[in-house]
Amino acid sequence: MKHKQILLAEDNEDDVKLTLRAFKKCQIHNIIVVQNGVEALDYLLGRGSYQNPTPPLPHMVLLDLNLPKLNGLEVLKTLRSCKRTCLLPVIILTSSREEKDILQSYQLGANSYIRKPVDFSKFKEVVQQLGHYWLVLNELPNPNPKENHGFPAKS
Amino acid sequence: MGQRYIPKKYLLLLALVIATTIFILDTFLPLGFSTGVFYVIVILISLWTQDKRLTYAMAILTTILTIVGYFLSPSSELHWQAIGNRFLAIFTLWATAWLCIYNPLLQHLEESVAQTKSILETAVDGIITINEKGKILTFNSAAEKLFQFSREEVLGKNVNLLMPEPYHSQHDSYMQNYLKTGKKKIIGLGREVKGRKKNGQVFPLYIAVGEAKTAKGRIFIGIVHDITEQKKNEEELRKLNEELESRVRERTRLLEAANKELEAFCYSVSHDLRTPLRSMEGFSQILLEDYAEYLDDEGQDYLRRIQSASQKMSDLIDDLLNLSRVTLTQIHRSNVNLSKMVETIANHIAQSYSHKVNLKIQPDLHAYVDERLFYIALENLLGNAWKFTSKTPNPSVEFGKKLQNHEEVFFIRDNGAGFDMAYANKLFIPFQRLHSQKEFDGTGIGLATVQRIIHRHEGKIWSESAPQQGAVFYFTVSKPPKLPS
């Protein structure tokens, strides 16, 4: 669990700090933070500044909806259309509880939709559960090293 | 009202010419020759004019001519015989005149003609008859008024005179076609067409055409009704409707735009307003966790107050969003078992309260409502019932239905804190609360939301209460529209 990587796409510095702290409390330290949608795609698809070398895929992506440049839904749509990332676990972590957002997220292939609680104790609990579920309990399909489509290599 | 119409003055002229011819003949022929008998023709011609006075006048004129002729004719030896002849001629003339005037058959006919004429002339609608060739046979006063032609101007003329193009040039071929094939376009039916007045003005009219067989062939009777006024009204109504429709479209567009804006606003509120709250709450928590040793009890209390205020504001945002969603959302009604819904919600609510409530639900109460919205409404009402019975011994909540003024009224009754009816009018106004935060917490938006939901179901909500004696909330919803069986 220690080595398993999480990509956090979040533009609000406070939220990043709080999330990182919550993960730290449950011994998860390997978190990469990107500030906007374009950066998230660049990282996951090995484009732009991440072109060389292509980094390994994280074990899950925590995606905010309200991101600058490309919003979370647009990022999700692109991820699902790419062979490399189409099976990657993507969890929407956002403030919105709009029916429309929830529906669209699932329609675009989100694996989960979590609303950030205002209460930090509850937020910590949520983050802990997320880490536990997606990094420990959940089984991912066996990766084929030749194709490596959509899920991270087992570590 | 004969088939062939000859103006009276021509008939009179003809009569006078014949009378003169006979008179001249009379003066040349011997006295014994009873020329006067021929004057009968003159009297008979007067019959055509249908003017009794003319018949009298002709009878008198021919009598005088017969007598004058006696003196002007070449003399004859048969003097008395000639006088006798003249008397016989005069007798014949008067007998003919009398027959012309007093013939019982003719009288009967005249009466009937007069009757028909009075009907035609008093008719409000224009009545026009034509023959197979399209020639106008009759033209009543209403038709004169309508087309501004006088009867003399149109009788005997082609009826297409009264029609604008394209009817004007098509009418003849249409009539021929009908006579040949019997294919009806208008006969026996009514139709809206255009007419043309004498001054060329075109106007809308409704025409009903009938067909009749006479000794001289078929005739067609057209009853013409001016619909200018009606058309004008229709046009005005159409314009008004159009204007109304375009206004409705414009309003709808504005409303939709406003709704969109409001939706966008709500979305932004839900997301952007909550984010700083999370920071306030979260960092206060971190301070309490990591720096508690640097803060005394008072300092820690302040941090907790920041935390609870943040949470409170978060709840407010949620409730406000619920309230606006209730107004903006589309409503989808169906038959819903409210009793079951109350049970589900009550079980859910009971988990967040420590006191045990005695719940009574009248089973299988159904209503025609939007399930999602009604869940929110009942959740609020039952939540209140639980909240306000939290300090009551033996708390109980009841859901049921009763008839009040022939209307089905649902109610939720509790035996909790209740409220003073003097403030009942503030109950459903957003942010208005009848209890202090210390007594019972809350945002003051719940009942406003409930009321909006009930209003969206075309219902009413009201309550009865007294302090420390519990409260009853009554509500109604409209019935489902009756389906045509």
Side-chain angles (χ1 to χ4, degrees):
Chain A
M1 182 154 149
K2 270 185 186 168
H3 308 287
K4 290 189 177 175
Q5 205 175 46
I6 295 170
L7 180 77
L8 174 65
E10 171 65 68
D11 65 313
N12 185 301
E13 251 178 78
D14 286 0
D15 269 358
V16 170
K17 259 204 164 102
L18 292 171
T19 313
L20 290 182
R21 184 186 166 93
F23 274 121
K24 206 170 87 189
K25 290 270 161 178
C26 53
Q27 310 305 314
I28 298 170
H29 302 281
N30 199 355
I31 297 163
I32 297 145
V33 180
V34 288
Q35 311 274 344
N36 61 58
V38 174
E39 210 185 328
L41 283 181
D42 282 352
Y43 180 85
L44 292 168
L45 302 175
R47 303 188 313 198
S49 54
Y50 298 97
Q51 208 157 18
N52 200 18
T54 309
L57 284 175
H59 278 75
M60 72 162 160
V61 176
L62 294 176
L63 191 59
D64 188 18
L65 285 183
N66 223 359
L67 286 173
K69 292 186 185 172
L70 278 179
N71 71 32
L73 290 175
E74 288 167 315
V75 171
L76 181 60
K77 202 171 168 185
T78 312
L79 289 181
R80 288 301 178 239
S81 66
C82 289
K83 208 173 173 187
R84 183 173 143 88
T85 54
C86 64
L87 296 177
L88 185 66
V90 175
I91 288 94
I92 304 293
L93 188 64
T94 179
S95 317
S96 151
R97 207 176 50 185
E98 281 296 308
E99 196 85 13
K100 202 175 66 192
D101 281 340
I102 299 175
L103 188 71
Q104 268 188 317
S105 297
Y106 279 110
Q107 277 170 343
L108 289 174
N111 295 72
S112 201
Y113 188 106
I114 310 284
R115 190 207 192 193
K116 297 178 199 166
V118 166
D119 185 337
F120 186 63
S121 315
K122 279 185 196 155
F123 184 59
K124 270 195 297 195
E125 222 170 276
V126 166
V127 165
Q128 226 159 355
Q129 281 185 17
L130 268 178
H132 186 66
Y133 179 81
W134 286 103
L135 302 185
V136 181
L137 295 179
N138 191 48
E139 288 289 340
L140 290 171
N142 212 7
N144 183 336
K146 272 184 195 163
E147 291 189 4
N148 188 20
H149 46 64
F151 42 87
K154 279 210 167 163
S155 48
Chain B
M1 298 269 149
Q3 280 256 13
R4 208 169 288 146
Y5 181 83
I6 304 165
K8 208 187 261 181
K9 52 184 177 184
Y10 294 131
L11 286 171
L12 195 61
L13 197 71
L14 181 71
L16 289 176
V17 168
I18 293 172
T20 315
T21 313
I22 295 170
F23 181 69
I24 292 166
L25 218 66
D26 191 23
T27 52
F28 285 107
L29 288 171
L31 197 58
F33 211 91
S34 185
T35 333
V37 177
F38 288 112
Y39 286 126
V40 167
I41 298 168
V42 177
I43 291 169
L44 284 175
I45 285 174
S46 80
L47 194 59
W48 242 274
T49 65
Q50 296 161 19
D51 191 339
K52 284 176 191 171
R53 287 170 309 168
L54 212 69
T55 309
Y56 274 121
M58 288 299 158
I60 291 165
L61 176 75
T62 50
T63 305
I64 293 167
L65 287 177
T66 309
I67 295 166
V68 174
Y70 170 78
F71 293 108
L72 293 181
S73 290
S75 55
S76 159
E77 305 89 53
L78 304 165
H79 189 68
W80 288 108
Q81 202 179 350
I83 291 172
N85 261 351
R86 294 281 150 172
F87 268 112
L88 271 176
I90 289 168
F91 175 76
T92 311
L93 289 176
W94 283 97
T96 309
W98 185 85
L99 264 176
C100 283
I101 295 162
Y102 294 108
N103 182 333
L105 251 177
L106 272 180
Q107 243 176 345
H108 180 71
L109 199 67
E110 261 167 27
E111 249 166 53
S112 142
V113 164
Q115 212 168 26
T116 312
K117 200 168 168 181
S118 72
I119 291 170
L120 283 175
E121 291 312 299
T122 54
V124 182
D125 286 340
I127 299 173
I128 302 164
T129 55
I130 58 169
N131 65 12
E132 285 180 355
K133 284 177 184 148
K135 298 273 179 282
I136 296 173
L137 304 176
T138 71
F139 199 74
N140 75 346
S141 306
E144 281 184 314
K145 220 158 105 189
L146 200 57
F147 290 94
Q148 292 169 356
F149 276 110
S150 75
R151 195 164 305 169
E152 283 72 27
E153 284 171 308
V154 295
L155 288 177
K157 300 249 175 74
N158 192 319
V159 72
N160 67 13
L161 174 77
L162 308 172
M163 302 170 186
E165 290 298 351
Y167 311 102
H168 180 78
S169 38
Q170 285 171 0
H171 191 254
D172 280 347
S173 64
Y174 163 62
M175 277 202 50
Q176 272 167 16
N177 191 41
Y178 170 65
L179 292 170
K180 237 192 292 176
T181 64
K183 220 165 137 191
K184 288 176 187 178
K185 259 191 181 168
I186 191 167
I187 290 155
L189 315 156
R191 211 178 129 182
E192 277 182 29
V193 289
K194 294 263 160 61
R196 191 173 64 181
K197 296 192 179 190
K198 189 179 177 182
N199 61 9
Q201 193 193 330
V202 174
F203 66 100
L205 57 85
Y206 184 86
I207 182 163
V209 179
E211 185 183 1
K213 277 202 174 102
T214 68
K216 293 188 176 169
R218 271 184 281 193
I219 63 164
F220 300 98
I221 305 107
I223 297 176
V224 180
H225 185 69
D226 185 3
I227 52 171
T228 309
E229 245 348 85
Q230 190 188 327
K231 280 276 152 189
K232 218 166 81 190
N233 290 344
E234 272 174 23
E235 181 61 18
E236 250 163 47
L237 204 68
R238 198 184 58 77
K239 265 191 195 151
L240 272 176
N241 266 338
E242 223 166 61
E243 209 182 295
L244 203 69
E245 258 170 43
S246 89
R247 233 185 272 173
V248 166
R249 269 199 299 275
E250 175 64 11
R251 289 277 153 86
T252 312
R253 201 184 57 75
L254 286 177
L255 202 65
E256 272 170 6
N259 261 0
K260 271 230 171 85
E261 216 166 90
L262 203 59
E263 258 174 62
F265 175 74
C266 287
Y267 184 86
S268 144
V269 163
S270 96
H271 193 280
D272 299 339
L273 241 55
R274 206 188 308 277
T275 307
L277 288 178
R278 216 164 32 241
S279 298
M280 284 158 64
E281 214 282 342
F283 291 116
S284 305
Q285 177 71 27
I286 293 168
L287 275 177
L288 282 174
E289 280 172 12
D290 293 4
Y291 301 89
E293 58 211 80
Y294 302 106
L295 288 167
D296 59 8
D297 286 351
E298 205 173 342
Q300 292 188 20
D301 179 53
Y302 292 154
L303 281 175
R304 277 187 205 100
R305 282 178 189 276
I306 292 176
Q307 279 187 300
S308 92
S310 310
Q311 189 56 53
K312 174 93 202 282
M313 175 125 179
S314 169
D315 293 346
L316 264 170
I317 290 171
D318 280 347
D319 284 356
L320 266 179
L321 281 177
N322 253 339
L323 183 65
S324 73
R325 208 172 284 142
V326 158
T327 313
L328 291 173
T329 191
Q330 286 237 336
I331 193 162
H332 302 288
R333 296 175 72 168
S334 61
N335 191 24
V336 174
N337 186 334
L338 291 186
S339 302
K340 275 199 177 141
M341 193 184 263
V342 166
E343 201 183 328
T344 312
I345 295 168
N347 283 337
H348 195 72
I349 291 170
Q351 286 172 12
S352 37
Y353 284 91
S354 55
H355 67 294
K356 178 96 182 70
V357 171
N358 178 23
L359 178 64
K360 230 167 82 186
I361 300 174
Q362 202 176 318
D364 288 325
L365 297 182
H366 290 256
Y368 182 66
V369 297
D370 181 299
E371 198 166 355
R372 216 167 51 88
L373 286 182
F374 238 73
Y375 193 94
I376 297 172
L378 291 177
E379 202 177 30
N380 273 299
L381 289 173
L382 290 166
N384 281 348
W386 248 263
K387 188 184 353 183
F388 294 112
T389 52
S390 59
K391 293 167 186 171
T392 310
N394 302 321
S396 73
V397 174
E398 186 189 349
F399 171 69
K401 187 174 88 174
K402 64 175 190 175
L403 270 177
Q404 197 171 310
N405 300 328
H406 311 287
E407 198 177 17
E408 283 184 351
V409 178
F410 296 95
F411 64 87
I412 289 177
R413 178 183 289 129
D414 67 57
N415 63 349
F419 57 87
D420 187 341
M421 284 298 278
Y423 306 113
N425 58 338
K426 288 190 169 175
L427 220 48
F428 299 103
I429 301 168
F431 303 112
Q432 297 283 344
R433 302 200 68 239
L434 302 186
H435 300 273
S436 73
Q437 238 8 286
K438 221 172 192 174
E439 285 177 290
F440 298 100
D441 67 340
T443 56
I445 300 174
L447 283 177
T449 308
V450 175
Q451 191 188 42
R452 279 202 198 173
I453 292 170
I454 298 294
H455 283 176
R456 291 210 63 187
H457 289 81
E458 291 138 354
K460 290 178 302 211
I461 180 162
W462 67 100
S463 68
E464 281 168 13
S465 181
Q468 304 313 321
Q469 283 172 32
V472 198
F473 282 85
Y474 298 98
F475 62 88
T476 62
V477 294
S478 67
K479 296 255 175 227
K482 281 210 173 78
L483 294 168
S485 51

